[in-house]
């Protein structure tokens, strides 16, 4: 508890590990919260949890509770999963996919992710997973970062179409994006335009944090 209170004055690192995918992962007490950070950005909990919580509130907690199956692409420390299971009290099936087994080990040790009974974790590349899965999902949360970098495939029309195919009737995708440069802003504008051309209904949530923008897109018209 002493570290927690001292963290209001200065961040206190309690664990550190190198990662092939995220360079360096740290578990840190920061302003009274236990968070996971990569080398240059918050990776789970803290500001990231606030961003994704806002997206879930926009969807409506009642709508989320009624869903049968939620897919999370990019688990990291599992902050959005904890919000879904503990705050919203969601009892349906959750599948979490992450390429980095190191961050899942941290999530289990420090945030007890493995204690969530309705959660299945899959260690896999998100792109490969969405190509292989035969399930349909009511909500797909896309939260994939490698430190401050977002893989290019996330913004390709093929990926958006595949996500749309995997959505159940009245399903929705929630895509967390990072914008650090003017090129990133242009990238998002072009992607949103492309989603609309693909007949998705698109909602952009006003930024809670300076560098993150949430994009919601509903099932395509079929």
């Amino acid at each position: 508890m002493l570290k927690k209170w001292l963290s209001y004055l200065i961040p206190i690192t309690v664990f550190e590990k190198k990662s092939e995918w995220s360079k360096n992962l740290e578990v840190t007490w920061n302003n009274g919260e236990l968070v996971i950070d990569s080398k240059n950005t918050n990776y789970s909990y803290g500001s990231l949890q606030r961003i994704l919580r806002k997206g879930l509130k926009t969807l409506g907690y009642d709508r989320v509770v009624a869903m049968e199956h939620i897919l999370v692409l990019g688990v990291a420390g599992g902050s959005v999963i904890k919000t879904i299971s503990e705050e919203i009290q969601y009892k349906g099936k959750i599948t979490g996919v992450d390429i980095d087994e190191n961050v899942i080990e941290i999530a289990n040790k420090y945030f007890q992710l493995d204690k969530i009974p309705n959660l299945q974790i899959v260690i896999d590349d998100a792109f490969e997973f969405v190509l292989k899965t035969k399930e349909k999902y009511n909500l797909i949360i896309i939260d994939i970062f490698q430190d401050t970098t977002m893989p290019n495939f996330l913004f390709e029309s093929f990926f958006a179409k595949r996500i749309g195919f995997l959505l159940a009737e009245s399903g929705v995708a929630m895509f967390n994006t990072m914008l650090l440069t003017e090129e990133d802003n242009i990238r998002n504008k072009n992607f949103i335009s492309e989603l609309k051309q693909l007949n998705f209904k698109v909602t952009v949530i006003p930024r809670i944090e300076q560098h993150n923008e949430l994009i919601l897109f509903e099932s395509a018209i079929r």
Side-chain angles (χ1 to χ4, degrees):
M1 290 301 294
L2 178 60
K3 291 180 179 179
K4 177 179 179 178
W5 294 117
L6 287 175
S7 73
Y8 287 99
L9 302 175
I10 185 173
I12 299 175
T13 299
V14 297
F15 180 81
E16 186 173 352
K17 186 170 186 175
K18 292 190 179 300
S19 165
E20 176 185 354
W21 302 103
S22 306
K23 297 182 181 178
N24 196 64
L25 295 169
E26 294 182 352
V27 180
T28 304
W29 280 107
N30 195 334
N31 289 320
E33 289 185 283
L34 197 61
V35 303
I36 299 179
D37 293 326
S38 62
K39 182 178 180 181
N40 297 300
T41 190
N42 176 237
Y43 220 55
S44 254
Y45 303 92
S47 62
L48 183 61
Q49 189 168 28
R50 291 191 292 273
I51 292 163
L52 295 173
R53 185 185 288 120
K54 175 65 174 179
L56 293 166
K57 286 182 177 179
T58 300
L59 287 177
Y61 284 1
D62 289 344
R63 179 180 178 184
V64 175
V65 166
M67 293 175 174
E68 295 181 6
H69 198 169
I70 295 174
L71 173 64
V72 179
L73 299 175
V75 174
S79 57
V80 70
I81 293 172
K82 297 278 274 191
T83 299
I84 291 167
S85 63
E86 296 182 359
E87 296 179 29
I88 302 178
Q89 295 289 301
Y90 174 76
K91 302 301 182 185
K93 185 177 180 181
I94 307 170
T95 299
V97 179
D98 204 290
I99 198 170
D100 191 347
E101 61 184 349
N102 289 318
V103 78
I104 298 301
E105 290 176 5
I106 292 171
N108 290 338
K109 180 176 180 179
Y110 288 94
F111 300 94
Q112 294 75 53
L113 205 63
D114 54 349
K115 299 295 191 287
I116 298 173
N118 54 329
L119 170 64
Q120 178 190 16
I121 293 293
V122 179
I123 304 298
D124 200 357
D125 178 271
F127 185 77
E128 295 293 330
F129 180 86
V130 300
L131 292 180
K132 294 182 290 189
T133 182
K134 295 178 172 59
E135 298 280 341
K136 293 286 185 177
Y137 306 92
N138 305 99
L139 171 61
I140 298 177
I141 299 172
I142 306 162
D143 190 34
I144 298 173
F145 301 92
Q146 294 171 357
D147 196 30
T148 57
T149 302
M150 300 190 70
N152 291 331
F153 76 82
L154 296 172
F155 299 94
E156 294 175 356
S157 60
F158 175 83
F159 185 74
K161 289 177 183 177
R162 183 63 185 171
I163 293 296
F165 176 77
L166 295 177
L167 289 172
E169 186 176 355
S170 301
V172 60
M174 185 168 75
F175 183 22
N176 183 25
T177 65
M178 182 178 291
L179 303 99
L180 300 175
T181 66
E182 182 56 30
E183 287 78 11
D184 293 339
N185 284 285
I186 294 169
R187 175 205 66 196
N188 271 33
K189 288 178 182 177
N190 290 339
F191 182 68
I192 290 166
S193 176
E194 188 162 13
L195 287 174
K196 291 177 179 177
Q197 290 176 19
L198 293 171
N199 293 322
F200 286 102
K201 177 185 175 185
V202 181
T203 303
V204 180
I205 298 177
R207 300 184 194 186
I208 304 170
E209 304 292 331
Q210 181 180 359
H211 298 299
N212 289 81
E213 183 173 73
L214 276 180
I215 302 169
L216 306 180
F217 52 105
E218 306 274 350
S219 297
I221 298 170
R222 295 168 182 164

